């Protein structure tokens, strides 16, 4: 299927796109600061590598595109000083830099690093001289309409039809070329192939995930078996201490008497577990933006309903705002329903930072160009201090690579945001290493994958990639017990109710991460991420030099140790259910960062990664280490309703696909999860003696 979509990274099932850009081959990419030329420097013509997709092969050639065929494209504009932009974004984000914290206003950032009027004029003249018309624009792009003949005149590439698994599609026969006169003014051109690139949610509800898994259960003896009489006749979970209720009478699994899965966590428990309650922080003074697709008409009312029902305060008047353009929404049939993702994101931010302002920015679709436009709007109008993105897409697939124009455009927005003191974060994914093996049985994977890989935008070196953990609590109040990497193997009860099928279980759900192929190691990971990790890409490709590793941090997100969410679906009634995915983790960490802004007196953090890596191996983080958790901590029985029937499932947790958490930095949980010293590190110098060493004081990893 030639259309890739950014996946929402939490626990929501997303309708499969009709056409998703296929990802082929190996895509090496560089930040715009490295790849582009400063606007006032002369340059040669620039080949837009990757605009000719790998699926457009001679063997698949179905002939030339007819003359006069209508076409559109989006031309992304370069900064007037891309090298200076990257340098300043780094300087104001690095605590060791004299320029640290000297953020620019929106007007200053635009004047210093935005696209100049002269650049816009030059690019416009180039496009219109080829006969193309400018149909839409913002400070970051020009949208053009015309014909394929006119695009050929502007970009030099002929257009041909190609046979694919998803029908016949149009694409350039060679990579497009931007002429020397405007080569420094253009970062990329999106939409030359008539496939659609889009993201999907990294969130999924327990009910939706179970429906997905049942398709894989088909033909297994235990797929529709009811619970045995030796177990409770009602849905049962461990309410309070992890494993407080045992599934006595269930078949032996990885050991006898497995515990029941924990009841879905509520925000007050998460605040307690991650030190927010003890630090007496509420995120007051900070503003968090959330980017998803479309908008839920009952969001504020639903969030207030949820908060009140679970002992928290609803939004105060004016505390919650929305930026929506419903008259421009498109592709809803392909993008699916994002309502659960939106509810999850809003309720997690509000839950972790109850006094922070929240701005929901609904993109006009899940397509890359609309999500990028939403991000740009936040930066251009400085709508927030922190931005959470719970979506993602694989970068390589059977049908092609992610368009480099998307990478360049997003990185430029992230860099501009950094100069203004805006923090961006993104979910790292719910499919382990995103390999075909993981996708074969995973509940929230992209089937188009052709290799182990990371997702975009969490792969960007200018964003904080948030992975997932399985959080296990000491008590109902939420005291921290311990954490494992987020990853579950799943078995179902056998037909005779005496065993589990399959056993050991098949991969079901897991946090994303890995080393990004082709992206050089950013400065902040040097000295923290060992070469043994950073020189081996997710697919096993070895590099002579270190590369970008993900995730950067991690928080609770497992579907088995789920998080409670409530909302009103279109045409339905308000209800609550358990959700999981790194779509939980990203808004959680956004709330944590809002609390950190309050802890540091209201000063914005900006691009967070340099400071996070400076806090490595201190009490700011729990060092998540699967090997430190005993086996009996890692398996649970889920007894819940599925399709009106009580079903029994066995899960082995801490079983991510291709990833695991170990001592120090790892590609399952990054630096770890926020520890007891996290907020103190923002009020005191973080290398203070009493903040040395990772926070293991709350762990009961070694206890029975």
């Amino acid at each position: 299927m030639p259309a890739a979509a950014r996946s929402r990274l939490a626990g929501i099932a997303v309708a499969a796109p009709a056409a998703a850009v296929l990802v082929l081959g190996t895509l090496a990419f560089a930040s715009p600061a490295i790849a582009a030329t400063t606007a006032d420097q002369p340059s040669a013509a620039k080949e837009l590598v990757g605009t000719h997709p790998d699926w457009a092969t001679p063997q698949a050639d179905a002939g030339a595109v007819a003359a006069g065929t209508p076409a559109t494209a989006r031309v992304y504009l370069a900064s007037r000083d891309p090298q200076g932009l990257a340098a300043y974004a780094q300087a104001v984000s690095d605590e060791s830099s004299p320029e640290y914290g000297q953020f620019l206003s929106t007007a200053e950032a635009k004047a210093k690093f935005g696209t100049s009027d002269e650049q816009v004029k030059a690019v416009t003249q180039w496009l219109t001289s080829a006969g193309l018309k400018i149909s839409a624009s913002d400070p970051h792009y020009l949208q053009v309409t015309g014909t394929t003949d006119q695009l050929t005149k502007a970009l030099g590439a002929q257009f041909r039809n190609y046979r694919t698994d998803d029908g016949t599609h149009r694409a350039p026969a060679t990579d497009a070329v931007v002429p020397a006169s405007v080569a420094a003014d253009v970062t990329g051109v999106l939409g030359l192939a008539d496939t659609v690139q889009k993201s999907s949610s990294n969130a999924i509800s327990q009910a939706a995930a179970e429906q997905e898994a049942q398709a894989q259960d088909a033909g297994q003896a235990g797929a529709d078996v009811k619970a045995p009489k030796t177990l409770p006749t009602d849905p049962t979970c461990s309410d309070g201490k992890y494993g407080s209720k045992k599934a006595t009478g269930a078949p032996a699994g990885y050991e006898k008497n497995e515990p029941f899965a924990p009841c879905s966590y509520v925000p007050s428990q998460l605040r307690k577990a991650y030190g927010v309650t003890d630090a007496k922080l509420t995120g007051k003074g900070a503003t968090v933006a959330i980017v998803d697709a479309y908008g839920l008409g009952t969001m504020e009312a639903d969030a207030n309903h949820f908060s009140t029902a679970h002992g928290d305060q609803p939004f105060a008047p004016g505390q919650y705002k929305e930026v929506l353009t419903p008259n421009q929404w498109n592709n809803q049939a392909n993008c699916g329903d994002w309502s659960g993702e939106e509810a999850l994101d809003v309720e997690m931010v509000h839950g972790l930072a109850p006094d922070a302002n929240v701005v929901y920015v609904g993109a006009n679709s899940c397509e890359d160009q609309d999500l990028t436009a939403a991000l740009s709007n936040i930066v251009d109008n400085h709508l927030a201090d922190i931005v959470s993105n719970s979506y993602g897409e694989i970068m390589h697939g059977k049908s092609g690579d992610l368009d480099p124009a998307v990478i360049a455009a997003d990185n430029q927005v992230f860099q501009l945001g950094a100069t203004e003191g805006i923090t961006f974060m993104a979910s790292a994914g719910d499919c382990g290493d995103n390999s075909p093996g993981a996708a074969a049985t995973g509940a929230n994977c992209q089937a188009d994958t052709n290799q182990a890989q990371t997702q975009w935008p969490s792969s960007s070196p200018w964003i904080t990639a948030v992975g997932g953990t399985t959080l296990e609590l000491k008590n109902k109040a939420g005291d921290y017990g311990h954490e494992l990497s987020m990853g579950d193997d799943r078995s179902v009860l056998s037909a005779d109710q005496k065993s589990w099928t399959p056993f050991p279980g098949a991969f079901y759900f897991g946090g994303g991460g890995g080393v990004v192929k082709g992206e050089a190691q950013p400065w902040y990971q040097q000295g923290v991420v060992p070469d043994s990790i950073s020189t081996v890409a997710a697919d096993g490709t070895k590099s002579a030099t270190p590369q970008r590793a993900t995730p950067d941090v991690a928080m609770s997100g497992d579907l088995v140790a789920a998080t409670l969410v409530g909302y009103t679906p279109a045409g339905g009634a308000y209800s609550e259910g358990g959700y999981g995915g790194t779509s939980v983790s990203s808004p959680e960490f956004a709330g944590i960062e809002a609390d950190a802004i309050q802890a540091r007196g209201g000063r914005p953090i900006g691009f967070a990664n340099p400071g996070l890596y400076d806090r490595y191996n201190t009490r700011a983080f729990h060092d998540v280490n699967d090997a430190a958790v005993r086996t009996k901590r890692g398996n649970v029985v889920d007894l819940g309703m599925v399709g009106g029937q009580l079903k029994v499932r066995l899960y082995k947790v801490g079983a991510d696909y291709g990833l695991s958490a170990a001592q120090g930095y790892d590609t399952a949980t990054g630096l770890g999860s926020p520890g007891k010293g996290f907020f103190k590190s923002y009020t005191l110098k973080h290398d203070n003696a009493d903040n040395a060493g990772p926070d293991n004081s709350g762990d009961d990893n070694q206890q029975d």
Side-chain angles (χ1 to χ4, degrees):
M1 62 178 192
R6 289 192 187 173
S7 309
R8 292 169 277 175
L9 302 174
I12 292 175
V14 182
V21 166
L22 303 173
V23 189
L24 298 174
T26 299
L27 173 63
F29 62 91
S31 300
I34 299 172
T37 314
T38 306
D40 60 1
Q41 293 177 337
S43 63
K46 179 165 63 178
E47 184 178 15
L48 299 179
V49 178
T51 48
H52 168 67
D54 287 353
W55 49 263
T57 64
Q59 294 77 15
D61 194 320
V65 172
T69 299
T72 64
R74 181 160 295 192
V75 179
Y76 283 105
L77 303 169
S79 163
R80 68 184 70 197
D81 182 8
Q83 295 173 343
L85 171 59
Y88 196 81
Q90 177 173 336
V92 296
S93 307
D94 192 332
E95 294 180 7
S96 64
S97 166
E99 290 81 23
Y100 174 68
Q102 296 181 21
F103 302 124
L104 304 176
S105 68
T106 302
E108 289 170 335
K110 181 178 180 180
K112 193 174 183 67
F113 299 117
T115 306
S116 69
D117 292 341
E118 291 76 13
Q119 287 176 282
V120 175
K121 182 178 179 180
V123 175
T124 300
Q125 184 175 356
W126 160 56
L127 295 169
T128 56
S129 66
L132 296 163
K133 294 182 179 180
I134 309 300
S135 57
S137 65
D138 77 1
H140 306 275
Y141 72 82
L142 298 176
Q143 185 84 9
V144 296
T145 58
T147 67
T148 51
D149 309 78
Q150 292 165 339
L151 285 175
T152 295
K153 184 177 180 181
L155 294 162
Q158 300 290 327
F159 286 81
R160 298 189 68 82
N161 293 310
Y162 296 91
R163 293 180 294 273
T164 73
D165 292 340
D166 191 45
T168 300
H169 288 275
R170 183 189 73 222
T174 59
D175 281 332
V177 177
V178 178
S181 60
V182 291
D185 305 323
V186 174
T187 63
V189 180
L190 181 65
L192 297 179
D194 68 350
T195 54
V196 178
Q197 290 188 315
K198 62 183 182 180
S199 290
S200 57
S201 162
N202 280 321
I204 192 165
S205 67
Q206 290 176 316
E210 184 60 31
Q211 290 173 358
E212 175 76 17
Q214 280 191 324
Q216 297 161 7
D217 291 341
Q220 291 183 7
D224 296 314
V225 175
K226 298 179 181 179
K229 296 179 180 179
T230 51
L231 291 179
T233 56
D234 295 314
T236 301
C237 56
S238 294
D239 189 11
K241 180 178 174 60
Y242 182 86
S244 59
K245 293 183 180 180
K246 304 293 184 182
T248 304
Y254 298 94
E255 62 271 342
K256 293 182 179 179
N257 297 328
E258 309 275 9
F260 283 113
C263 302
S264 294
Y265 298 143
V266 296
S268 60
Q269 293 174 306
L270 297 171
R271 291 197 303 271
K272 180 66 174 176
Y274 289 115
V276 179
T277 302
D278 292 346
K280 297 181 173 57
L281 295 170
T282 63
K284 188 175 182 63
T287 300
V288 180
I290 293 163
V291 177
D292 288 318
Y294 314 121
L296 177 63
T298 58
M299 187 64 260
E300 184 172 10
D302 287 345
N304 289 341
H305 185 160
F306 180 81
S307 297
T308 303
H310 299 286
D312 287 338
Q313 293 298 313
F315 282 118
Q319 188 183 354
Y320 174 78
K321 297 180 180 179
E322 295 180 342
V323 179
L324 300 172
T325 52
N327 62 325
Q328 298 179 40
W329 290 352
N330 61 87
N331 257 350
Q332 286 145 297
N334 287 345
C335 291
D337 183 7
W338 286 62
S339 299
E341 177 68 70
E342 178 184 345
L344 165 62
D345 294 349
V346 171
E347 290 167 10
M348 284 303 96
V349 171
H350 185 53
L352 272 293
D355 285 334
N357 295 317
V358 176
V359 180
Y360 176 75
V361 182
N364 291 328
S365 78
C366 65
E367 291 186 15
D368 287 338
Q369 63 182 27
D370 286 331
L371 290 164
T372 299
L375 299 173
S376 300
N377 186 28
I378 294 170
V379 172
D380 292 344
N381 296 286
H382 204 103
L383 298 181
D385 307 302
I386 301 162
V387 186
S388 177
N389 305 281
S390 289
Y391 54 81
E393 62 189 306
I394 56 174
M395 300 175 69
H396 312 283
K398 298 172 185 176
S399 54
D401 289 335
L402 175 64
D403 197 316
V406 175
I407 295 168
D410 283 353
N411 276 336
Q412 185 165 286
V413 171
F414 299 149
Q415 290 174 341
L416 283 168
T419 70
E420 295 182 25
I422 299 175
T423 305
F424 284 92
M425 61 196 62
S427 305
D430 300 339
C431 189
D433 65 6
N434 292 290
S435 64
T441 57
N444 206 23
C445 296
Q446 289 179 253
D448 189 43
T449 182
N450 63 355
Q451 60 187 273
Q453 59 185 292
T454 56
Q455 289 193 346
W456 186 264
S458 61
S459 293
S460 171
W462 293 100
I463 205 166
T464 299
V466 187
T469 70
T470 302
L471 173 65
E472 302 175 355
L473 303 177
K474 284 184 176 180
N475 49 46
K476 191 172 183 178
D479 283 312
Y480 184 90
H482 56 274
E483 287 174 286
L484 294 156
S485 61
M486 184 178 104
D488 310 315
D489 287 344
R490 174 182 177 276
S491 304
V492 301
L493 190 66
S494 64
D496 60 8
Q497 301 182 340
K498 295 180 180 179
S499 62
W500 303 100
T501 305
F503 190 84
F507 174 70
Y508 177 61
F509 198 69
V515 173
V516 187
K517 184 162 54 179
E519 177 61 41
Q521 184 180 70
W523 82 96
Y524 51 80
Q525 289 191 324
Q526 296 171 9
V528 175
V529 181
D531 288 351
S532 58
I533 292 176
S534 63
T535 57
V536 183
D539 68 345
T541 302
K542 294 184 179 180
S543 170
T545 56
Q547 301 176 91
R548 160 77 161 138
T550 66
D552 299 301
V553 296
M555 288 190 72
S556 174
D558 199 358
L559 191 59
V560 174
T563 301
L564 198 63
V565 176
Y567 74 102
T568 305
Y574 176 89
S575 63
E576 297 179 352
Y579 280 73
T582 53
S583 280
V584 177
S585 312
S586 182
E588 281 178 324
F589 193 65
I592 291 290
E593 289 287 84
D595 297 327
I597 286 177
Q598 181 188 11
R600 70 199 308 253
R603 291 177 293 121
I605 293 171
F607 180 42
N609 285 8
L612 296 174
Y613 281 84
D614 282 348
R615 288 163 171 79
Y616 171 67
N617 199 32
T618 72
R619 290 172 61 82
F621 290 105
H622 295 290
D623 184 10
V624 182
N625 184 352
D626 291 344
V629 181
R630 295 184 177 180
T631 301
K632 71 177 183 178
R633 298 283 188 188
N635 314 295
V636 296
V637 170
D638 179 63
L639 185 67
M641 299 299 293
V642 179
Q645 285 188 306
L646 195 66
K647 295 297 183 68
V648 188
R649 302 290 184 264
L650 172 70
Y651 295 97
K652 179 176 179 61
V653 301
D656 205 356
Y657 198 102
L659 307 173
S660 62
Q663 185 174 2
Y665 178 91
D666 58 71
T667 52
T669 61
L671 299 169
S673 66
K676 287 186 176 180
F678 188 84
F679 299 116
K680 187 176 181 180
S681 75
Y682 283 93
T683 58
L684 299 174
K685 186 172 177 59
H686 57 261
D687 60 357
N688 193 296
D690 67 0
N691 203 33
D695 176 22
N696 295 317
S697 59
D699 290 354
D700 61 1
N701 286 354
Q702 302 302 322
Q703 299 175 9
D704 292 331

